[in-house]
Amino acid sequence: MRLSSCFMPTLKENPAEAQVTSHRLMLRAGLIRQTSAGIYIWLPLGLRVMRKIEQIVREEQDRTGALEILMPTIQPAELWQESGRYEAYGKEMLRITDRHDREMLYGPTNEEMITDLFRATVKSYKDLPLNMYHIQWKFRDEIRPRFGIMRGREFLMKDNYSFDIDGEAGRISYNKMYVAYLRTFARLGLVAIPVRADTGAIGGDLSHEFQILADTGESTLYYDKEIENFDLVSLTGDIDPTTIEKLQSLYAMEEEKHDAENCPVAPEDLRCAKGIEVGHIFFFGTKYSDAMNAKVTGPDGNLIPVEMGSYGVGVSRLVGALIEANHDDNGIIWPEAVAPYKVGLVNLRIKDDDCTAACDDLYQKLTTAGVEVLYDDRDMGAGGKFADMDLAGLPWQLIVGPRGLKNGVVELKNRRTGHREELSLSDAVNKLGA
Ligand code: ATP
Ligand code: MG
């Protein structure tokens, strides 16, 4: 992508409304624009990052055998009246009346809708286990939307729902998701601590939140310091079941569940930290299947209410959480897995024919090699270009100027380490294309 034809409305000044780094940097780097409180337009670079996160989340779900579907954002009120949550959800639910005076709502989550789908279509234990997910926009009329897209009103969530014949099978499904979440966050380069959580409005008794440590986090967590010895960012691929057992056995609680008096961890071994919740998994048994009469015939022919769990990942919130975990004074530092582009190609002298020819050639060769390049071909000073590249946070900067070219070299800068090296043009292509 040529920057001259890209839409990346950067800001020089810090926007006054932004209280946290990620919100500030997302506005400054031109990733999002607010349209009303807690509602945002995703601009090209921001959208690319969100799509990459979404794809990693999807791949890890698919890997577990969960099936992707897409449920609508608008739901009929009756389903929620049946489960009893229409009133219970209160003002966070955006209620809508259609032209025929039917009560509708913009879905804050989808337990009711999927339970309705299940009861209408699945009749036998032989069709279980079943796990379906979708990645869809949600609306919650948060009392205090803040921190940009991290606590928005409209936000993108991956949510899935498991159906099992009994509690034991339900817990197996739950643990599969627990492992999928560890993998997902590890692939995003994040340390997300699984803490035991309250089940709140969803109900049930088993629940974990996945929390990224950050001073600006809205949750408070208490955990055994031994958890820090788990190399959570390396937990990709197949994870040894004993690792999971060990991790689940260690004390880690969100504030509401932490009981200081009866805590089994000695005070000197207990860590207290702020966290950003990026995922939340629940096993709630038959809460919805009882309320909504979702039953299957068991092996003996009797009708059995199905055991359910639900599992959420805050896909749009992750964009902000990733920036909270990856930035410096000059801007964002994207992990390669989610960067909008891998390389920023900086042409220092557009008006110099040799320089521009070399850049055009590098751009073409890198693109052909499958490397995603953002090519700064704008006619402006070097200082502004460097500042914008640092702000945008692409993992690599390939800097091309007339002086280096005379000696046949370009400069490659690693955004995270700041390390710079001079390379021949072909070595640069080989290194970035590898
Ligand atoms: P929170 O405690 O942050 O309000 P929640 O418990 O209401 O979250 P869940 O219902 O568990 O959230 O939703 C699953 C995931 O969706 C959360 O882990 C979070 O990452 C994301 N999420 C929830 N609310 C918002 C929001 N207002 N803006 C962006 N993401 C959100
Ligand atoms: Mg929660």
Side-chain angles (χ1 to χ4, degrees):
M1 170 63 67
R2 285 173 184 266
L3 205 37
S4 60
S5 43
C6 184
F7 187 64
M8 184 185 157
T10 56
L11 303 174
K12 290 232 162 46
E13 304 298 324
N14 276 328
E17 72 269 27
Q19 303 166 35
V20 296
T21 306
S22 58
H23 188 195
R24 201 157 50 231
L25 289 175
M26 287 185 78
L27 290 170
R28 283 198 49 210
L31 307 185
I32 52 166
R33 299 289 291 193
Q34 182 175 305
T35 61
S36 51
I39 305 181
Y40 292 85
I41 297 172
W42 288 82
L43 301 175
L45 267 70
L47 185 60
R48 283 177 76 91
V49 174
M50 187 160 65
R51 290 279 182 253
K52 289 194 175 179
I53 296 170
E54 187 183 327
Q55 187 54 26
I56 289 174
V57 170
R58 175 179 287 116
E59 284 169 16
E60 291 304 323
Q61 286 302 313
D62 290 347
R63 197 186 148 111
T64 70
L67 303 167
E68 185 168 8
I69 60 174
L70 184 58
M71 288 181 272
T73 55
I74 305 294
Q75 308 188 18
E78 289 87 53
L79 291 177
W80 291 69
Q81 283 155 350
E82 231 187 293
S83 74
R85 283 209 294 180
Y86 194 56
E87 295 310 320
Y89 222 94
K91 292 197 169 191
E92 265 196 25
M93 179 182 278
L94 180 65
R95 294 148 208 266
I96 305 162
T97 308
D98 75 7
R99 67 197 297 164
H100 303 295
D101 276 337
R102 282 191 203 104
E103 287 179 58
M104 315 284 289
L105 57 101
Y106 195 123
T109 178
N110 287 66
E111 279 83 5
E112 284 77 0
M113 184 170 276
I114 198 130
T115 307
D116 183 50
L117 171 70
F118 183 89
R119 69 181 169 184
T121 51
V122 181
K123 302 294 174 196
S124 163
Y125 76 97
K126 290 182 189 146
D127 299 322
L128 303 182
L130 180 64
N131 189 330
M132 292 190 281
Y133 74 98
H134 72 162
I135 302 174
Q136 177 63 292
W137 293 90
K138 307 290 186 287
F139 193 94
R140 295 183 186 173
D141 205 351
E142 300 274 356
I143 186 162
R144 211 145 59 101
R146 54 185 187 153
F147 304 158
I149 46 76
M150 287 218 284
R151 183 163 298 283
R153 292 197 296 166
E154 191 179 60
F155 59 95
L156 188 62
M157 193 203 287
K158 182 284 300 170
D159 40 321
N160 51 334
Y161 304 89
S162 63
F163 302 89
D164 285 281
I165 187 65
D166 55 29
E168 197 187 327
R171 272 154 214 275
I172 292 173
S173 294
Y174 180 90
N175 271 335
K176 253 194 192 177
M177 283 300 121
Y178 182 95
V179 172
Y181 276 41
L182 289 176
R183 269 202 205 108
T184 302
F185 298 125
R187 278 185 66 187
L188 293 170
L190 288 170
V191 174
I193 299 186
V195 301
R196 289 294 297 266
D198 250 358
T199 48
I202 300 239
D205 56 1
L206 181 57
S207 175
H208 285 90
E209 287 174 356
F210 289 77
Q211 298 273 357
I212 290 168
L213 300 183
D215 293 339
T216 49
E218 294 184 280
S219 317
T220 303
L221 353 160
Y222 294 86
Y223 61 92
D224 190 328
K225 72 169 198 233
E226 213 187 305
I227 290 183
E228 288 167 356
N229 298 334
F230 279 79
D231 190 7
L232 290 172
V233 274
S234 303
L235 289 183
T236 55
D238 290 324
I239 308 177
D240 176 7
T242 57
T243 305
I244 305 299
E245 252 172 61
K246 184 82 213 295
L247 188 57
Q248 287 190 349
S249 71
L250 289 171
Y251 188 85
M253 296 284 168
E254 61 146 12
E255 195 165 30
E256 286 74 21
K257 269 194 105 72
H258 173 64
D259 175 358
E261 310 257 290
N262 299 308
C263 178
V265 183
E268 63 273 19
D269 294 334
L270 190 67
R271 293 269 189 274
C272 174
K274 291 279 178 199
I276 300 170
E277 180 191 325
V278 289
H280 198 164
I281 59 178
F282 302 89
F283 176 62
F284 45 74
T286 59
K287 178 178 155 118
Y288 295 92
S289 46
D290 282 338
M292 297 179 67
N293 202 28
K295 292 183 174 146
V296 292
T297 47
D300 55 6
N302 290 331
L303 282 175
I304 310 168
V306 73
E307 300 273 339
M308 292 175 60
S310 72
Y311 316 89
V313 169
V315 174
S316 51
R317 178 180 285 182
L318 271 165
V319 181
L322 275 157
I323 296 174
E324 291 293 331
N326 298 282
H327 67 266
D328 64 13
D329 289 345
N330 298 326
I332 303 169
I333 308 174
W334 291 116
E336 227 165 269
V338 299
Y341 296 90
K342 178 175 175 177
V343 183
L345 174 61
V346 182
N347 184 342
L348 289 179
R349 195 81 53 81
I350 281 292
K351 297 235 166 73
D352 180 306
D353 288 345
D354 291 341
C355 195
T356 292
C359 283
D360 287 355
D361 186 49
L362 283 167
Y363 180 55
Q364 201 250 319
K365 290 207 167 93
L366 285 166
T367 305
T368 307
V371 181
E372 294 173 320
V373 182
L374 185 63
Y375 174 12
D376 191 346
D377 60 343
R378 296 172 301 175
D379 185 9
M380 59 182 264
K385 291 194 171 194
F386 290 142
D388 277 353
M389 268 307 163
D390 278 354
L391 178 62
L394 310 182
W396 298 98
Q397 296 174 9
L398 189 56
I399 301 155
V400 183
R403 215 178 312 147
L405 281 179
K406 274 205 197 92
N407 303 318
V409 295
V410 291
E411 191 179 32
L412 184 64
K413 175 182 155 185
N414 181 300
R415 173 68 181 89
R416 190 175 291 275
T417 63
H419 179 260
R420 294 165 185 271
E421 60 180 321
E422 289 197 329
L423 295 168
S424 72
L425 282 71
S426 59
D427 284 351
V429 171
N430 289 338
K431 179 159 184 175
L432 291 168

